[in-house]
Amino acid sequence: MASLTAKGLSAAPLTRSIKPAAPVTAKRSVAMKAVSKQDELKIQAAHKAVEYVQSDMVVGLGTGSTAAFAVERIGQLLKEGQLKNIIGVPTSIRTLEQAKALGIPLATLDEQPKLNVAIDGADEVDNNLDVVKGRGGALLREKMVELAADKFVCIVDDSKMVSGLGGSKLAMPVEIVQFCDKYTLKRIQSLPEVAGCEAKLRMDGDKPYVTDNSNYIVDLYFQEPIKDVHAASKAILDLVGVVDHGLFLNMVDVCIIAAPDGVKLMERKK
């Protein structure tokens, strides 16, 4: 069972703006033929995050559309010789496959239990730098890798910012074992700490979606932000049959937020 908090950090984050980045063109993104405005923002945030990576580091490689740009950038800098002796620890099978294709040396937490930095996206970010992750299905491995990192750098575009977690009304995932999934789903939905949520088993076509860890995912949908995310976190994790959830609390050290008027950096105050 994962820990509820990571690094004992709970103070309000510090915010500062960064000089607006130059527009991203397709040439700057190796894998992109055409770049949407939203992807331009994601690429700006990803490239800024990779500035935290230095040669001889062990780096957690996140999962998702924004994290993929960071992985791509690391591969590019390795190929150009601007980074050397990097070891990546991927958070999903698809990130592993992307990193291998880019020539990034890889390891697991068994081989590299201590990471210098992890870079990953998020589905929601609040003003405390608490985040929701896992809509891409990789929440367990993401949490394991990011808890092992000295610094967790989160990268998002400004559409991911919310006043409270659950506020986007989109999925907050909970990874569960396959055994008696309907029973576990009903127990989660009945928790007072998530009162009012709608719980749905995530599907892949006409079959339940299966994670890289051979588990299922229950997605929770809230009409209002979660009142007490720490209480909700504990209550969900206390249920037998739950593996972990997408609330990443007190974990993000730096959040890089790309918006049309520039890139903003928020740091958790230590």
Side-chain angles (χ1 to χ4, degrees):
M1 187 173 292
S3 60
L4 301 182
T5 60
K7 302 163 187 173
L9 305 173
S10 58
L14 302 175
T15 305
R16 59 188 176 92
S17 296
I18 301 169
K19 183 178 179 181
V24 178
T25 65
K27 291 181 180 179
R28 289 177 60 189
S29 179
V30 176
M32 296 292 293
K33 294 182 179 179
V35 181
S36 68
K37 289 183 178 179
Q38 187 175 29
D39 280 342
E40 282 188 8
L41 298 179
K42 291 179 179 181
I43 294 169
Q44 287 179 20
H47 285 204
K48 186 66 183 176
V50 174
E51 292 179 12
Y52 285 87
V53 179
Q54 299 177 11
S55 295
D56 303 309
M57 279 189 168
V58 181
V59 182
L61 305 176
T63 295
S65 60
T66 308
F69 289 123
V71 176
E72 180 184 309
R73 178 64 170 167
I74 291 170
Q76 177 188 357
L77 294 176
L78 276 169
K79 185 177 180 179
E80 294 172 353
Q82 296 185 53
L83 286 176
K84 298 179 180 180
N85 301 321
I86 294 295
I87 298 175
V89 179
T91 55
S92 66
I93 292 173
R94 63 181 177 273
T95 297
L96 180 148
E97 292 172 345
Q98 181 196 12
K100 284 178 65 176
L102 292 167
I104 300 173
L106 298 176
T108 67
L109 287 177
D110 287 338
E111 299 155 335
Q112 295 287 341
K114 189 68 172 176
L115 283 64
N116 299 104
V117 64
I119 299 173
D120 205 351
D123 301 308
E124 294 181 5
V125 182
D126 71 11
N127 290 328
N128 296 317
L129 298 190
D130 290 330
V131 305
V132 167
K133 290 180 51 54
R135 289 179 191 154
L139 61 127
L140 177 60
R141 296 190 187 192
E142 288 173 333
K143 189 173 284 189
M144 291 178 68
V145 169
E146 286 145 20
L147 280 170
D150 290 336
K151 186 181 293 290
F152 175 20
V153 180
C154 182
I155 47 177
V156 295
D157 64 78
D158 62 347
S159 70
K160 307 297 186 182
M161 301 304 296
V162 295
S163 59
L165 299 185
S168 71
K169 299 184 180 181
L170 299 175
M172 197 289 282
V174 180
E175 189 160 343
I176 67 170
V177 298
Q178 293 192 27
F179 177 71
C180 294
D181 58 281
K182 296 181 180 64
Y183 168 77
T184 303
L185 182 152
K186 291 177 181 178
R187 292 193 71 202
I188 295 170
Q189 186 167 252
S190 67
L191 289 171
E193 292 83 358
V194 295
C197 78
E198 181 181 9
K200 295 182 179 181
L201 184 67
R202 185 178 298 187
M203 303 298 290
D204 183 8
D206 59 353
K207 297 181 180 179
Y209 174 88
V210 179
T211 71
D212 288 347
N213 317 297
S214 299
N215 296 315
Y216 287 168
I217 288 181
V218 171
D219 287 318
L220 305 184
Y221 296 87
F222 298 86
Q223 293 304 308
E224 301 290 339
I226 302 169
K227 291 181 180 180
D228 186 335
V229 292
H230 291 277
S233 170
K234 184 179 186 306
I236 294 169
L237 287 176
D238 281 347
L239 292 179
V240 177
V242 168
V243 179
D244 214 317
H245 56 59
L247 293 171
F248 285 50
L249 309 179
N250 293 344
M251 287 182 58
V252 173
D253 297 296
V254 178
C255 187
I256 298 171
I257 306 155
D261 60 348
V263 177
K264 181 170 65 173
L265 187 148
M266 296 178 68
E267 297 177 294
R268 187 178 297 276
K269 187 177 179 181
K270 296 184 180 180

